[in-house]
């Protein structure tokens, strides 16, 4: 049997597709994993083909009209045909939010299900969600999109079957029952956890490593025979870090524990406005400054968190009830104080925190408040990356406010504000996961959508709530983030018990690892090249696959035992499969 795996790329600029062909025991059916950024936020005149050929969906592209689809609820359904003779399905005469069309599929417990469909609504712009209805009647949201009239938008998401195997109805929901829902090219593709993990590993190898060819020569260009080359990674180029708090200033054990593991951090509270100006007009940066000094002394890079928090609950007490004019004056003082103070000391600032869920500054100062503060932060520190930081964008598909499409729409509004076009911007998604099995299919789909913006993504506050499988779920989340090509950094909001970290605790009061701590240490070790001694071939050459980062290379002369030391930096931007490096050692 001859099997072909099709590479569906239209252009490298459009999206990145990582293809892995796996055979299933039943009929050798091929399943292709993909990071597909294609048109994820565009609205197209004609929809693209169904991913995975529709997967387990019957009649996914409606070539047979509306066969295999049925009415759900009190509405009606019919076939639609475009000017190009493309067929799709329409739900109309709707009276309830879930009145639509449905298809019954069989879910297998423990499997992940990647979903996508192209959606349009008639005469409106509305939020449309995909909902999976289990045999027990439970409604599980799998993703949503803002659909429009006159063009097709991609609804992308997924779910994991955390319930007994059985029938599931695929439904579509829109709260505005006056609109018609149009859907085309539906896909639902199941994957086992083993298949999902296999793809993560393949993507890590592709995105985080490069294969290099070294050529060792003598100073006279002749081949060096018998040389022994030692390669040691001194630093990773991927930022993988951990939050820290004020306990680190005085606790030597905490300092040693942290510095031995992490080179990137975010202060959990100490740079926030309510920490630095508890009383109006009395700024105190003593704690934050001490933490910055500790980080600098230990070569730890800092993400600034945060300039402003849009949640009314987390303003300094004296700010909560002042007038709009007083707030404008006080906020200007705040940003003009904190940003210049740490200019050149930070790699990023969370300018606005949680402004998809809350709008304290917009309500008081006008709808452009976030845009104005991004502009001012850029003026004060143009070399530092500026983030909008939000929760539930990748971890909770039921949160309509923070879904990835809304995130991109809001951030585009901020970046299109006059003067903000040249801001060095990044997407910050917090990643606070519950104690249940994380929905990795939705997480991946959300990261795909966010990556379509072209902006770098950071997971900024990752943790997992306590539960019997906390360590396992923490590992799943971290692997998913690290393996995604759009993610350029991960910071966890975790730490030792002695510092008060009680959501995900990595070490007990005696700094002995918890199971979650074991996971983090294991991943730090796994995502780093192991020190290796290599003997080149008779031509003085060898190949090796290295994680991106900084390396110390030592070459030992086999005849006189002299050593030559050099440094090499391998970056993720080097796209060559093989790099020839000539080292004139002696």
């Amino acid at each position: 049997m001859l099997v072909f795996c099709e590479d569906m790329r239209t252009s490298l600029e459009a999206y990145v597709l990582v293809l892995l062909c796996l055979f299933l025991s039943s009929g050798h059916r091929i399943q292709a994993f993909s990071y597909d950024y294609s048109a994820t936020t565009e609205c197209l005149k004609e929809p693209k083909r169904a991913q995975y050929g529709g997967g387990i969906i019957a009649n996914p592209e409606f070539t047979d009209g509306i066969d295999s689809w049925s009415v759900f609820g009190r509405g009606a359904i019919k076939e639609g045909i475009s000017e190009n003779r493309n067929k799709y399905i329409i739900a109309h005469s709707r009276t309830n939010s879930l009145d639509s069309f449905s298809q019954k599929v069989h879910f297998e417990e423990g499997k992940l299900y990647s979903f996508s469909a192209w959606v349009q609504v008639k005469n409106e712009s509305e939020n449309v969600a995909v909902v999976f209805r289990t045999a027990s009647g439970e409604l599980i949201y799998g993703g949503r999109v803002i659909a429009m009239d006159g063009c097709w938008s991609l609804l992308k998401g997924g779910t994991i079957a955390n319930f007994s195997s059985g029938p599931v109805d695929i439904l579509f929901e829109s709260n505005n029952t006056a609109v018609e829902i149009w859907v085309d090219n539906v896909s639902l593709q199941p994957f086992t956890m083993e298949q999902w993990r296999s793809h993560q590993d393949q993507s890590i190898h592709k995105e985080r490593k490069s294969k290099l060819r070294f050529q060792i020569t003598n100073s006279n260009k002749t081949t060096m025979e018998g040389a022994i080359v030692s390669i040691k990674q001194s630093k990773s180029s991927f930022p993988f870090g951990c939050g820290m708090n004020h306990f680190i200033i005085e606790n030597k054990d905490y300092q040693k524990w942290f510095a031995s593991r992490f080179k990137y951090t975010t202060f959990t509270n100490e740079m926030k406005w309510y920490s630095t100006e508890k009383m109006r007009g009395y700024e105190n940066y003593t704690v934050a400054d001490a933490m910055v000094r500790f980080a600098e002394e230990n070569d730890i890079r800092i993400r600034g968190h945060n300039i402003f928090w849009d949640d009314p609950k987390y303003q300094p007490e004296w700010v909560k009830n002042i007038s709009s004019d007083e707030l404008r004056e006080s906020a200007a003082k705040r940003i003009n104080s904190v940003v210049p103070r740490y200019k050149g000391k930070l790699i990023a600032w969370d300018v606005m925190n949680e402004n998809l869920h809350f709008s304290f500054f917009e309500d008081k100062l006008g709808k452009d408040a976030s845009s104005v503060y991004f502009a001012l932060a850029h003026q004060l520190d143009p070399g530092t990356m500026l983030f909008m930081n939000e929760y539930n964008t990748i971890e909770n598909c039921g949160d309509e406010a923070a879904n990835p499409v809304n995130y991109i729409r809001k951030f585009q509004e901020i970046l299109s504000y006059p003067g903000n076009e040249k801001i060095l911007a990044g997407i910050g998604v917090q990643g606070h996961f519950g104690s249940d099995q994380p929905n990795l299919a939705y997480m991946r789909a959300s990261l795909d959508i966010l990556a379509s913006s072209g902006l770098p993504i950071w997971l900024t506050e990752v943790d997992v709530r306590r539960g019997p499988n906390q360590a396992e779920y923490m590992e799943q989340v971290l692997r998913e983030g690290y393996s995604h090509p759009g993610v350029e950094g991960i910071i966890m909001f975790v730490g030792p018990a002695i510092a008060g970290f009680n959501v995900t605790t990595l070490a007990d009061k005696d700094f002995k690892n918890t199971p979650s701590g074991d996971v983090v240490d294991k991943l730090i070790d796994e995502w780093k090249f192991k020190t290796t001694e290599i003997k080149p071939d008779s031509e003085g050459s060898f190949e090796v696959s290295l994680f991106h980062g900084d390396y110390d290379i030592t070459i030992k002369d086999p005849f006189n035992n002299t050593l030559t030391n050099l440094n090499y930096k391998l970056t993720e931007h080097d796209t060559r499969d093989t790099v020839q490096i000539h080292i004139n050692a002696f």
Side-chain angles (χ1 to χ4, degrees):
M1 177 180 178
L2 184 62
V3 181
F4 294 94
C5 293
E6 182 183 2
D7 186 335
M8 301 173 357
R9 281 177 287 188
T10 55
S11 71
L12 288 174
E13 292 77 12
Y15 62 95
V16 177
L17 179 65
V18 180
L19 191 62
L20 174 63
C21 296
L22 296 171
F23 292 91
L24 299 181
S25 57
S26 58
H28 297 297
R29 182 176 181 178
I30 288 179
Q31 300 193 23
F33 294 95
S34 68
Y35 292 119
D36 186 359
Y37 309 154
S38 176
T40 50
T41 55
E42 295 180 72
C43 199
L44 305 181
K45 187 68 176 176
E46 293 289 342
K48 291 189 177 285
R49 301 293 299 273
Q51 283 190 300
Y52 311 115
I56 61 174
I57 296 293
N59 191 24
E61 298 187 342
F62 303 96
T63 52
D64 296 324
I66 58 175
D67 286 356
S68 303
W69 296 85
S70 59
V71 176
F72 184 85
R74 300 179 181 178
I77 63 174
K78 64 182 179 181
E79 177 184 305
I81 303 178
S82 71
E83 295 177 359
N84 294 337
R85 310 303 298 171
N86 178 59
K87 296 180 181 180
Y88 50 90
I89 193 168
I90 299 173
H92 62 97
S93 304
R94 303 170 55 245
T95 57
N96 296 307
S97 62
L98 278 172
D99 288 348
S100 60
F101 27 75
S102 70
Q103 183 173 135
K104 195 178 295 293
V105 296
H106 184 81
F107 270 37
E108 296 182 53
E109 185 176 1
K111 282 192 174 182
L112 298 108
Y113 289 82
S114 179
F115 177 86
S116 66
W118 290 88
V119 184
Q120 186 174 165
V121 294
K122 192 64 176 174
N123 301 324
E124 298 283 350
S125 172
E126 289 295 333
N127 193 295
V128 177
V130 63
V131 183
F132 303 105
R133 183 176 181 268
T134 68
S136 66
E138 181 184 4
L139 299 179
I140 302 171
Y141 286 84
R144 59 184 71 240
V145 71
I146 300 170
M148 291 176 278
D149 179 34
C151 60
W152 294 94
S153 298
L154 181 62
L155 194 167
K156 192 171 187 180
T159 191
I160 185 165
N162 288 325
F163 47 85
S164 298
S165 300
V168 171
D169 292 308
I170 301 173
L171 311 175
F172 293 85
E173 179 187 72
S174 175
N175 290 328
N176 184 351
T177 58
V179 302
E180 293 182 355
I181 302 175
W182 299 9
V183 167
D184 199 1
N185 298 350
V186 185
S187 173
L188 185 70
Q189 182 64 57
F191 299 104
T192 66
M193 288 298 295
E194 291 76 17
Q195 290 167 341
W196 203 266
R197 170 65 185 274
S198 179
H199 176 251
Q200 289 173 337
D201 291 342
Q202 186 203 22
S203 182
I204 288 170
H205 184 80
K206 179 180 183 295
E207 300 296 332
R208 309 301 177 196
K209 302 178 76 175
S210 294
K211 185 170 71 173
L212 301 180
R213 181 177 179 83
F214 287 80
Q215 180 73 48
I216 311 299
T217 63
N218 288 306
S219 56
N220 61 2
K221 308 296 184 181
T222 60
T223 299
M224 175 181 291
E225 296 183 7
I228 297 176
V229 181
S230 175
I231 301 177
K232 179 181 179 181
Q233 186 174 5
S234 58
K235 185 177 181 180
S236 171
S237 67
F238 184 89
F240 181 52
C242 184
M244 71 165 67
N245 62 27
H246 64 276
F247 285 96
I248 207 162
I249 298 174
E250 301 296 336
N251 193 303
K252 298 296 183 182
D253 290 333
Y254 185 10
Q255 294 175 10
K256 181 180 178 180
W257 177 89
F258 195 102
S260 66
R261 286 167 172 80
F262 305 111
K263 292 301 179 184
Y264 291 86
T265 193
T266 300
F267 301 168
T268 56
N269 286 296
E270 288 75 11
M271 282 189 178
K272 292 172 181 173
W273 195 3
Y274 62 60
S275 295
T276 62
E277 195 176 357
K278 294 179 181 180
M279 295 179 60
R280 187 175 185 177
Y282 294 90
E283 293 181 326
N284 186 343
Y285 289 99
T286 303
V287 175
D289 286 350
M291 292 173 68
V292 169
R293 284 194 299 272
F294 166 77
E296 291 177 335
E297 290 166 359
N298 289 275
D299 192 28
I300 298 169
R301 311 294 299 280
I302 307 167
R303 291 189 75 258
H305 178 71
N306 51 54
I307 299 176
F308 294 116
W309 195 342
D310 236 340
D311 188 344
K313 181 180 177 181
Y314 293 108
Q315 306 305 320
E317 284 299 322
W318 60 269
V319 166
K320 294 179 180 179
N321 297 309
I322 61 178
S323 69
S324 295
D325 288 341
E326 289 175 307
L327 175 62
R328 183 175 286 105
E329 179 183 349
S330 297
K333 181 174 177 289
R334 155 68 177 174
I335 194 170
N336 279 285
S337 171
V338 72
V339 176
R341 185 180 192 89
Y342 297 115
K343 182 177 181 180
K345 297 179 180 292
L346 309 179
I347 60 172
W349 263 119
D350 291 328
V351 179
M352 296 303 297
N353 198 45
E354 300 175 2
N355 59 335
L356 289 176
H357 286 96
F358 307 103
S359 55
F360 176 81
F361 291 93
E362 287 79 6
D363 293 343
K364 295 273 190 177
L365 305 178
K367 64 181 182 64
D368 291 329
S370 292
S371 303
V372 169
Y373 290 128
F374 267 87
L376 185 52
H378 176 64
Q379 293 170 17
L380 293 169
D381 189 359
T384 296
M385 187 172 290
L386 305 182
F387 284 75
M388 191 176 85
N389 196 44
E390 194 54 78
Y391 67 91
N392 279 354
T393 303
I394 61 171
E395 63 267 41
N396 187 343
C397 59
D399 190 334
E400 182 176 340
N403 76 74
V405 175
N406 277 352
Y407 185 108
I408 291 176
R409 175 176 285 191
K410 175 67 174 180
F411 210 12
Q412 286 176 339
E413 290 176 2
I414 290 173
L415 297 179
S416 63
Y417 184 79
N420 286 358
E421 298 85 357
K422 296 182 180 180
I423 283 179
L424 187 63
I427 290 173
V429 287
Q430 294 178 12
H432 296 294
F433 288 82
S435 58
D436 295 332
Q437 168 73 54
N439 186 347
L440 301 180
Y442 180 78
M443 180 180 176
R444 181 174 297 184
S446 298
L447 291 172
D448 282 352
I449 294 169
L450 295 169
S452 71
S453 68
L455 297 174
I457 303 167
W458 280 60
L459 278 56
T460 58
E461 303 180 18
V462 177
D463 58 23
V464 173
R465 289 197 175 275
R466 290 182 181 274
N469 301 309
Q470 182 184 48
E472 176 187 356
Y473 295 162
M474 186 72 175
E475 180 173 355
Q476 290 179 4
V477 168
L478 293 174
R479 285 189 183 279
E480 189 62 38
Y482 184 71
S483 66
H484 197 284
V487 174
E488 296 191 7
I490 299 174
I491 304 290
M492 303 173 291
F493 261 30
V494 300
I498 200 168
F501 289 94
N502 56 14
V503 177
T504 304
T505 305
L506 298 189
D508 64 18
K509 60 182 178 61
D510 297 317
F511 288 93
K512 294 180 180 178
N513 268 10
T514 64
S516 294
D518 286 338
V519 161
V520 170
D521 282 352
K522 179 183 72 171
L523 293 179
I524 291 172
D525 183 65
E526 181 181 325
W527 296 338
K528 184 177 181 180
F529 180 78
K530 308 299 186 296
T531 301
T532 303
E533 283 193 349
I534 301 173
K535 188 173 182 178
D537 61 21
S538 59
E539 300 297 322
S541 66
F542 63 91
E543 289 185 346
V544 62
S545 182
L546 301 176
F547 282 98
H548 302 142
D550 297 348
Y551 287 85
D552 298 325
I553 300 175
T554 301
I555 304 165
K556 182 178 180 180
D557 185 334
F559 299 107
N560 56 25
N561 288 327
T562 58
L563 302 177
T564 296
N565 300 308
L566 56 91
N567 305 116
Y568 181 75
K569 187 178 186 68
L570 175 62
T571 72
E572 61 270 26
H573 304 296
D574 193 337
T575 58
R576 293 171 291 179
D577 291 332
T578 303
V579 178
Q580 293 280 352
I581 301 177
H582 296 278
I583 305 173
N584 296 319
F586 308 104

